[in-house]
């Protein structure tokens, strides 16, 4: 139940999906890490409830400990909270949260994490946002994506943190051999990995780390990498990530708007991989796609236009590598940026927004 510490702000978190298993998606990880950081503060009391598309209810005590909850307990939590924070616009969580907001006159904060379901309220389009008291988008691009219009309602860019990888117990495995460039993430077309392989200069080394969601795409990547200095690490353990990031001079996220005739509406809302890399002291670069642009600019890291093979090749070829004076300057900039993109800073931004809508 609610903890009582110095009249805390009482937050009811509602999100779709179900936490659990050995792998957390980016949205799951974002919610769990933000709540964990808020939990370190003495001015917060919070509960997390998970609403599946079938409207089953789960009370989450941690990111991996989920228990079935009763409606009456959720109603009691909503009645006693100060703010309802919802983590997906097109979801059962949004519809449940708006219903609770109207029932108990509680303000709603919305953070959209991409994706979603065909819910009844989706038919209302932007009119749904009238029920939202304040927006907590990951980036300005994310705010525009949901259709938020400037007005007198509070809004605060949340960004996020990457320092959760430093708190994960390390596996103790040997550190991977050094490489020039690193990709970490799902191996899917909108990540632009095929363009990264094709643009890789002959003398540079690339390590691709992640899970293959599409076997056909993985086969295409492996075929393109056959004559280049590229290695694949499939299904990495979370405990190996810090060593993997630190083995590279640069982490690259080359996401694209289009690939193989398919257009992607939301290729990247934030790019947690970039923030994880910064937390490990490894500089990053990425394409100027959606929310990535804001993260890279704010961190002072290089960027390139998506699907511009020549520009990507030039960027990779001219990137200073570990051991050079130029690289030391960029690495120091990365360490400074990591402080701003920590989860504690994200929690502070969230608290400022909670207080503004309560006031």
């Amino acid at each position: 139940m609610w903890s009582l510490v110095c009249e805390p702000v009482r937050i009811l978190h509602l999100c779709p999906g179900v936490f659990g298993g050995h792998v957390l998606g980016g949205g799951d990880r974002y919610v769990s890490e933000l709540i964990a950081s808020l939990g370190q503060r003495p001015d917060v009391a919070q509960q997390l409830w998970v609403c599946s598309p079938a409207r089953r209810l789960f009370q989450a005590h941690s990111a991996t400990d989920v228990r079935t909850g009763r409606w009456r307990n959720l109603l009691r939590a909503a009645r006693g909270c100060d703010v309802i924070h919802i983590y997906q616009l097109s979801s059962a969580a949004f519809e449940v949260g708006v219903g609770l907001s109207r029932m108990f006159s509680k303000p709603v904060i919305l953070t959209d994490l991409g994706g979603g379901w065909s819910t009844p309220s989706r038919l209302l389009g932007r009119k749904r946002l009238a029920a939202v008291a304040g927006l907590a988008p990951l980036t300005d691009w994310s705010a525009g994506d949901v259709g938020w219009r400037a007005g007198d309602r509070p809004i605060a860019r949340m960004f996020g943190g990457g320092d959760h990888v430093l708190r994960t117990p390390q596996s103790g495995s040997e550190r991977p051999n050094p490489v020039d460039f690193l990709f970490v993430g799902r191996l899917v077309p909108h990540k632009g990995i095929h363009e990264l392989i094709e643009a890789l200069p002959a003398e540079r080394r690339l390590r691709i780390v992640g899970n293959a969601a599409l076997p056909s795409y993985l086969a295409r990547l492996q075929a393109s990498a056959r004559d280049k200095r590229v290695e694949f690490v499939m299904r990495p353990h979370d405990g190996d990530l810090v060593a993997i990031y630190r083995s590279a001079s640069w982490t690259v996220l080359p996401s694209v708007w289009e690939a193989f005739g398919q257009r992607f509406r939301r290729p990247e809302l934030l790019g947690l991989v970039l923030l994880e890399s910064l937390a490990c002291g490894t500089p990053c670069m990425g394409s100027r796609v959606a929310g990535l642009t804001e993260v890279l600019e704010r961190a002072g890291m290089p960027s390139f236009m998506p699907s511009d093979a020549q520009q990507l090749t030039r960027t990779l070829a001219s990137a200073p590598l570990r051991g050079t004076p130029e690289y030391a300057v960029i690495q120091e900039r990365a360490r400074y940026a990591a402080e701003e993109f920590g989860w504690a800073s994200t929690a502070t931004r969230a608290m400022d927004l909670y207080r503004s809508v309560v006031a």
Side-chain angles (χ1 to χ4, degrees):
M1 298 305 294
W2 303 117
S3 59
L4 299 175
V5 182
C6 304
E7 293 296 328
V9 177
R10 297 164 298 179
I11 309 159
L12 173 60
H13 302 274
L14 296 177
C15 71
V18 179
F19 290 98
H22 301 291
V23 179
L24 290 180
D28 293 340
R29 192 179 299 281
Y30 192 94
V31 176
S32 61
E33 294 299 335
L34 175 59
I35 291 175
S37 298
L38 287 167
Q40 300 299 313
R41 300 174 60 105
D43 55 350
V44 175
Q46 53 188 348
Q47 288 188 26
L48 168 61
W49 285 75
V50 183
C51 307
S52 77
R55 286 174 173 71
R56 295 180 63 194
L57 296 173
F58 303 85
Q59 184 179 8
H61 298 269
S62 70
T64 55
D65 178 16
V66 182
R67 306 174 188 177
T68 302
R70 297 179 181 275
W71 276 103
R72 65 186 182 190
N73 293 336
L74 177 57
L75 292 174
R76 186 180 301 118
R79 184 184 298 113
C81 76
D82 298 311
V83 180
I84 300 174
H85 192 159
I86 304 173
Y87 292 90
Q88 188 62 49
L89 179 56
S90 296
S91 71
F94 180 80
E95 298 191 344
V96 170
V98 169
L100 294 173
S101 169
R102 290 173 176 168
M103 188 180 298
F104 299 111
S105 299
K106 304 295 182 178
V108 164
I109 296 291
L110 173 66
T111 297
D112 191 69
L113 299 174
W117 293 266
S118 296
T119 57
S121 67
R122 198 167 189 166
L123 298 174
L124 297 176
R126 291 180 178 177
K127 293 180 180 179
R128 294 177 290 176
L129 299 177
V132 178
L135 191 70
L138 304 186
T139 57
D140 281 340
W141 188 91
S142 177
D145 179 63
V146 299
W148 189 262
R149 292 174 177 170
D152 55 0
R153 290 179 292 175
I155 179 173
R157 283 183 301 175
M158 296 292 288
F159 290 111
D163 44 338
H164 53 268
V165 296
L166 303 178
R167 298 190 294 271
T168 303
Q170 305 304 296
S171 67
S173 302
E174 291 186 14
R175 183 168 178 171
N177 294 327
V179 292
D180 303 313
F181 303 110
L182 169 71
F183 170 87
V184 176
R186 292 183 301 138
L187 275 55
V188 290
H190 79 260
K191 295 292 184 180
I193 314 162
H194 55 287
E195 294 190 358
L196 175 59
I197 293 175
E198 292 167 4
L200 183 69
E203 71 280 5
R204 296 294 172 93
R205 295 160 296 174
L206 168 65
R207 178 174 290 129
I208 297 173
V209 179
N211 299 325
L214 300 171
S216 59
Y217 185 60
L218 174 61
R220 185 186 185 102
L221 297 180
Q222 291 173 329
S224 298
R226 197 164 293 145
D227 298 324
K228 297 201 171 189
R229 303 176 72 181
V230 179
E231 66 174 271
F232 292 83
V233 177
M234 309 306 297
R235 297 189 174 278
H237 190 279
D238 279 356
D240 294 329
L241 282 178
V242 173
I244 288 173
Y245 279 119
R246 289 175 174 169
S247 70
S249 293
W250 293 87
T251 298
V252 187
L253 189 53
S255 301
V256 296
W257 290 109
E258 260 184 274
F260 311 116
Q262 185 177 1
R263 175 77 179 176
F264 306 103
R265 179 187 164 194
R266 298 167 163 176
E268 298 288 351
L269 294 184
L270 178 65
L272 271 179
V273 165
L274 300 182
L275 307 187
E276 291 177 350
S277 181
L278 293 172
C280 294
T282 300
C284 58
M285 63 175 71
S287 56
R288 299 182 68 82
V289 162
L292 293 188
T293 304
E294 295 170 55
V295 172
L296 292 165
E297 288 180 350
R298 199 174 180 106
M301 295 288 112
S303 64
F304 46 85
M305 295 301 296
S307 301
D308 187 331
Q310 292 184 347
Q311 187 181 46
L312 178 53
T313 299
R314 289 196 301 269
T315 303
L316 297 176
S318 61
L321 301 181
R322 185 179 282 111
T324 63
E326 296 85 357
Y327 183 82
V329 173
I330 295 174
Q331 192 171 38
E332 184 62 28
R333 191 186 305 158
R335 292 194 183 100
Y336 180 80
E339 296 180 7
E340 181 180 4
F341 287 114
W343 281 111
S345 299
T346 307
T348 296
R349 289 190 284 271
M351 282 303 302
D352 290 343
L353 184 59
Y354 295 149
R355 289 196 180 99
S356 68
V357 298
V358 170

